[in-house]
Amino acid sequence: MFKSILIDGLSRTQQTFHGVLAGISADDANWQPTPSSNSITWQAWHAAREIDMQIAGLAGTSDVWTSQGWVDRFALDLPRDAHGYGQTPEEVARVVVADTALLTGYYDAVVAAANQYISSLTEQSLAEVIDRAWDPPVTRAVRIVSIIDDAAQHAGQAAYLKGLLAALGDCGDDDDEDSSVL
């Protein structure tokens, strides 16, 4: 039961990003409100990278970014292992795409890998303490909840940016169909 809740939580971030990216141009997705702000593109890429890296670390596998060639498809002007943590505004501005389908494709691949990993876990492995540096110590289940929470925050920030674009009249999606993500 708990595994299905984790999978559901992860799918909600995926659905939010799909809704945010639906009907907007790459230019809109790449837009930054200020030079030191994150774009929708950065939010989606970073959320997927953090899920990818942390799940790969938990599973003891390679991340989807490199193992499935997403690093080459994105061809970012950044180190191949970049993930968004601690990036300068100049580095953030280099996270751009020509097609938003690249973002949803990578996010979908990451969620599929995460769901496969979560499905393989037992109650015992979910309860296993994996980080004693915290008080209380962090279990595998708590770490996955933390991953989902971080992704949900980035999804909310991306939805806010889409709403801001619409309010400024710059968003290519004038349709209220996706207003649930705003």
Side-chain angles (χ1 to χ4, degrees), residues 104-122:
T104 54
Y106 177 50
Y107 210 96
D108 291 349
V110 165
V111 169
N115 287 346
Q116 182 178 9
Y117 170 69
I118 293 167
S119 295
S120 74
L121 297 173
T122 64

Side-chain angles (χ1 to χ4, degrees), residues 3 7-8 18 22-23 29-30 42 51 79 84 96 101 114 116-117 127 142-143 146 149-151 153 174:
K3 291 190 291 187
I7 289 169
D8 180 67
H18 273 269
N30 296 326
W42 187 90
I51 295 166
V96 296
Q116 182 178 9
Y117 170 69
V142 168
R143 176 63 47 84
S146 177
D149 177 57
D150 188 61
Q153 290 183 50
D174 295 324

Side-chain angles (χ1 to χ4, degrees), residues 83-161:
H83 45 72
Y85 295 111
Q87 284 187 319
T88 66
E90 294 78 19
E91 291 168 324
V92 168
R94 289 188 222 141
V95 180
V96 296
V97 295
D99 184 349
T100 60
L102 192 61
L103 294 166
T104 54
Y106 177 50
Y107 210 96
D108 291 349
V110 165
V111 169
N115 287 346
Q116 182 178 9
Y117 170 69
I118 293 167
S119 295
S120 74
L121 297 173
T122 64
E123 281 189 43
Q124 183 179 6
S125 63
L126 283 166
E128 178 187 356
V129 172
I130 59 167
D131 189 349
R132 295 192 183 283
W134 298 93
D135 186 19
V138 176
T139 64
R140 188 176 312 274
V142 168
R143 176 63 47 84
I144 295 169
V145 168
S146 177
I147 292 166
I148 294 166
D149 177 57
D150 188 61
Q153 290 183 50
H154 288 294
Q157 292 165 8
Y160 176 82
L161 286 169

